């Protein structure tokens, strides 16, 4: 939020992780930022843009309702109006979805979950491929004291080494749980974007990986890269 100025307006997904809503509603509004909350998976994002709009903030799939927004489509709108597109990519992790490649400017992740992987550290990531944003964020982190300690950084690096195999197993389990839940008469709805009847299924297939079958290409790529590195050292 430190990238913006009082009076700036953001178009924000309405179904977000509760902490993000708390930040926007209870901290940022007080600092005179303005927000329009809407369901970015099927409401008119372009129509919500105002003269003072500076960014679009989405999460896909959303926590908790699993709404899926089309990242490339929203990135197109952001580019047209010179806005930043910020994507919270926590739920899929970089293993299954890469918003920067789909046109986002800033991607955020909770490092506490899949990236850390062991429930022993709290962390967050802010990722960008834009040099100017990178310098501004680096300055802010250095100045406000949001940098991660060396030990937590080490814990995260350790966790990321097993990200691939953990994500493969998680998606394998998830599709089985979703299929089982669907068969239970007491369950009214199953919200899982890997099910063909989910409204976001086709977009998920286009912009993310996982959920259909075990993705053998990704681990194979990681193993090949590791072997190449080891060969380089030897
Ligand atoms: C989508 C999403 N983003 C961010 C967070 C924040 O994570 P942390 O616990 O690392 O602050 C959460 C936590 O549940 C989340 O679900």
């Amino acid at each position: 939020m430190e990238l913006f100025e009082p009076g700036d307006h953001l178009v924000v997904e309405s179904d977000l992780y509760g902490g993000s809503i708390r930040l926007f509603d209870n901290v940022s509004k007080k600092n005179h930022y303005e927000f329009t909350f809407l369901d970015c998976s099927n409401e008119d994002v372009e129509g919500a843009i105002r003269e003072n709009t500076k960014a679009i903030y989405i999460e896909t799939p959303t926590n908790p309702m699993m709404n899926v927004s089309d990242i490339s489509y929203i990135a197109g709108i952001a580019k047209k109006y010179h806005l930043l597109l910020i994507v919270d990519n926590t739920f899929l992790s970089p293993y299954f979805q890469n918003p920067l490649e789909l046109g986002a400017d800033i991607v955020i992740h909770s490092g506490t979950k899949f990236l850390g992987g062991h429930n022993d550290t709290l962390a967050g990531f802010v990722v960008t491929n834009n040099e100017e944003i990178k310098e501004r964020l680096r300055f802010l982190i250095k100045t406000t004291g949001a940098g991660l300690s060396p030990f937590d950084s080490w814990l995260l690096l350790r966790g990321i080494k097993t990200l691939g195999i953990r994500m493969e197993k998680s998606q394998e389990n998830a599709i089985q749980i979703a299929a089982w839940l669907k068969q239970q008469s007491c369950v009214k709805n199953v919200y899982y974007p890997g099910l063909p009847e989910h409204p976001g299924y086709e977009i998920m297939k286009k912009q993310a990986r996982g959920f259909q079958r075990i993705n053998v290409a990704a681990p194979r790529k990681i193993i090949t890269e590791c072997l190449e590195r080891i060969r380089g050292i030897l």
Side-chain angles (χ1 to χ4, degrees):
M1 297 313 297
E2 292 294 334
L3 293 175
F4 306 109
E5 302 288 332
D8 286 348
H9 170 252
L10 285 87
V11 176
V12 175
E13 166 62 50
S14 52
D15 184 49
L16 286 181
Y17 157 62
S20 305
I21 306 238
R22 276 199 307 280
L23 172 70
F24 298 148
D25 268 350
N26 300 94
V27 181
S28 302
K29 267 190 189 164
K30 169 173 73 57
N31 293 333
H32 305 287
Y33 297 104
E34 296 165 18
F35 299 92
T36 299
F37 291 95
L38 79 172
D39 177 353
C40 294
S41 65
N42 67 27
E43 286 182 318
D44 181 10
V45 174
E46 192 165 1
I49 293 169
R50 303 184 197 157
E51 266 192 13
N52 57 339
T53 305
K54 291 292 179 323
I56 304 173
Y57 183 103
I58 61 170
E59 198 175 279
T60 179
T62 61
N63 174 9
M65 293 311 292
M66 297 279 145
N67 298 335
V68 175
S69 297
D70 187 328
I71 301 174
S72 307
Y73 171 68
I74 297 178
I77 299 173
K79 294 276 170 301
K80 184 170 162 194
Y81 292 89
H82 307 291
L83 314 175
L84 293 179
L85 174 61
I86 307 172
V87 181
D88 183 334
N89 199 39
T90 296
F91 264 23
L92 287 181
S93 89
Y95 190 75
F96 284 140
Q97 184 167 267
N98 307 102
L100 292 181
E101 287 175 9
L102 300 166
D105 301 288
I106 300 177
V107 178
I108 62 172
H109 289 276
S110 163
T112 311
K113 303 170 176 69
F114 293 129
L115 294 170
H118 296 70
N119 290 328
D120 52 11
T121 182
L122 294 173
F125 286 75
V126 187
V127 189
T128 182
N129 53 9
N130 176 308
E131 279 298 316
E132 191 195 326
I133 298 171
K134 184 187 88 179
E135 285 313 319
R136 286 170 71 195
L137 288 172
R138 202 181 275 282
F139 177 83
L140 284 165
I141 289 168
K142 185 174 77 176
T143 309
T144 60
L148 206 59
S149 77
F151 184 62
D152 286 309
S153 306
W154 179 81
L155 289 173
L156 270 161
L157 288 171
R158 172 216 51 183
I160 289 171
K161 284 178 188 148
T162 55
L163 178 70
I165 44 177
R166 287 187 286 103
M167 294 309 284
E168 290 294 351
K169 193 67 197 168
S170 297
Q171 59 131 16
E172 201 185 310
N173 291 345
I175 193 76
Q176 287 182 42
I177 293 168
W180 180 84
L181 285 170
K182 259 177 63 171
Q183 289 165 358
Q184 308 311 306
S185 55
C186 57
V187 174
K188 286 196 185 141
N189 284 310
V190 180
Y191 298 95
Y192 183 64
L195 294 173
E197 63 268 32
H198 188 283
Y201 180 74
E202 290 303 327
I203 299 172
M204 281 291 286
K205 278 208 307 195
K206 185 181 73 156
Q207 70 184 14
R209 300 175 294 281
F211 77 72
Q212 271 177 310
R213 62 193 165 276
I214 298 178
N215 179 355
V216 284
R220 214 174 269 158
K221 185 166 168 272
I222 292 169
I223 291 167
T224 312
E225 280 170 10
C226 287
L227 286 175
E228 271 164 20
R229 258 189 249 159
I230 293 167
R231 268 190 216 115
I233 294 165
L234 293 175

